[in-house]
C-alpha cells in the first residue's frame, strides 16, 4: 500500500511536470538530466517537507546548555532538560556500544517523525531537532557552525564555569540553521561541475536562438 501510494504521488508529479511549461520547470528538467535522475524524482525530493524546530548548543564535558533557539517559543520547551537527556543518552550509548573506540559518537536520535541530528567537537555538542529529511549540505553546515564556534571560544569552553551568558553572540548563527533552507538550493548549485554549468549555458543560448 505504501509503495502504491508513492507511485501515485510520482505519477501525479510527473503529469504536472509534463503539462506545465515555465522557465522553472525547464530548469528543473535540465538539472534532473545532469544529476542522472528523472524530473519527477527531483520534484518529489524538492517537495519533501523539512523543518528545524529546535537548535541546542551544549558543553560537551558537563552536558550543560550553552545556548538554544526554538521555532515554537510558545511551547516553552525546557532546553536544559533536553540537554541533560541528550547527554545521558550519549553517555549510555558510549558505554554500551563504544567498545573502547573513542572516535565513535552518537550522531542521530529518532522518535516518531522527528529526529535529532548531533555533531560534536572537543568541547561542544550541537543538536538540531528536525522534522523530515535534511537536504544535502545541512550536516556540513552544522559541522561548519560548530567548528567556527569551537575555534572562537576554545579557551572559554576549556575552562567553562557554568555562565552561559558569555556565549550570547552565537545565537544568530544558531538561528541560521532554522531558516527556510536556502542551503538546499545553494548545495544543488555548488554540486554542479564547471562542465555542467557550461552545458546549461549552451542550452540556454540555443533555446534563445530558437525563440529568436
Amino acid at each position: 500500500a505504501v509503495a502504491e501510494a508513492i507511485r501515485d504521488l510520482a505519477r501525479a508529479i510527473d503529469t504536472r511536470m509534463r503539462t506545465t511549461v515555465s522557465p522553472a520547470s525547464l530548469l528543473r528538467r535540465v538539472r534532473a538530466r545532469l544529476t542522472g535522475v528523472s524530473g519527477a524524482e527531483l520534484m518529489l525530493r524538492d517537495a519533501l517537507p523539512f523543518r528545524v524546530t529546535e537548535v541546542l548548543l551544549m558543553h560537551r564535558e558537563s552536558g550543560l546548555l550553552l545556548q538554544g533557539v526554538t521555532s515554537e517559543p510558545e511551547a516553552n520547551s525546557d532546553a536544559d532538560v533536553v540537554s541533560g537527556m541528550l547527554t545521558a543518552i550519549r553517555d549510555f550509548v558510549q558505554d554500551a556500544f563504544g567498545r573502547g573506540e573513542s572516535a565513535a559518537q552518537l550522531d542521530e536520535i529518532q522518535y516518531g517523525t522527528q529526529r535529532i541530528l548531533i555533531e560534536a567537537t572537543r568541547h561542544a555538542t550541537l543538536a538540531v531537532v528536525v522534522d523530515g529529511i535534511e537536504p544535502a549540505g545541512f550536516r556540513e553546515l552544522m559541522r561548519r557552525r560548530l567548528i567556527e564556534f569551537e575555534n572562537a571560544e576554545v579557551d572559554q569552553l576549556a575552562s567553562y564555569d557554568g555562565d552561559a551568558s558569555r556565549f550570547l553572540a552565537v545565537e544568530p548563527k544558531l538561528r541560521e540553521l532554522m531558516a527556510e533552507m536556502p542551503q538546499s538550493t545553494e548545495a544543488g548549485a555548488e554540486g554542479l561541475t564547471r562542465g555542467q554549468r557550461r552545458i546549461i549555458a549552451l542550452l540556454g543560448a540555443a533555446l534563445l536562438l530558437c525563440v529568436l
Side-chain angles (χ1 to χ4, degrees), residues 123-200:
H123 296 103
T125 300
L126 180 64
V128 179
V129 183
V130 303
D131 188 0
I133 300 175
E134 72 275 13
F138 186 74
R139 280 275 194 178
E140 180 183 354
L141 179 62
M142 287 178 57
R143 284 191 290 268
R144 188 163 63 246
R145 291 289 178 266
L146 185 58
I147 291 173
E148 290 172 355
F149 172 73
E150 171 91 9
N151 291 337
E153 305 289 349
V154 61
D155 294 334
Q156 300 283 358
L157 292 170
S159 58
Y160 184 57
D161 58 1
D163 182 12
S165 62
R166 65 185 65 180
F167 302 116
L168 290 174
V170 76
E171 182 176 333
K173 292 294 185 181
L174 299 182
R175 291 201 175 276
E176 288 181 9
L177 295 172
M178 305 186 69
E180 291 298 322
M181 289 319 300
Q183 292 87 357
S184 62
T185 302
E186 294 172 1
E190 292 173 357
L192 297 178
T193 65
R194 183 177 181 181
Q196 290 173 336
R197 290 194 293 268
R198 185 177 300 172
I199 291 174
I200 292 178

Side-chain angles (χ1 to χ4, degrees), residues 58-83:
M58 300 167 288
H59 186 242
R60 181 170 179 176
E61 183 178 355
S62 65
L64 295 175
L65 181 70
L66 301 178
Q67 288 296 321
V69 295
T70 176
S71 62
E72 301 174 352
E74 66 278 2
N76 194 25
S77 173
D78 196 335
D80 290 302
V81 173
V82 175
S83 174

Side-chain angles (χ1 to χ4, degrees), residues 28-107:
R28 181 178 284 109
R29 292 184 185 182
V30 172
R31 179 184 168 198
R33 182 76 62 172
L34 293 175
T35 54
V37 299
S38 70
E41 290 173 332
L42 186 61
M43 178 176 280
L44 177 62
R45 179 60 188 89
D46 291 342
L48 288 175
F50 175 72
R51 186 170 66 101
V52 177
T53 59
E54 197 163 1
V55 180
L56 303 175
L57 181 63
M58 300 167 288
H59 186 242
R60 181 170 179 176
E61 183 178 355
S62 65
L64 295 175
L65 181 70
L66 301 178
Q67 288 296 321
V69 295
T70 176
S71 62
E72 301 174 352
E74 66 278 2
N76 194 25
S77 173
D78 196 335
D80 290 302
V81 173
V82 175
S83 174
M85 176 201 69
L86 291 177
T87 301
I89 293 175
R90 181 202 65 190
D91 292 343
F92 167 76
V93 171
Q94 185 68 30
D95 293 341
F97 307 106
R99 312 301 184 197
E101 298 178 5
S102 59
Q105 297 293 334
L106 181 67
D107 60 0

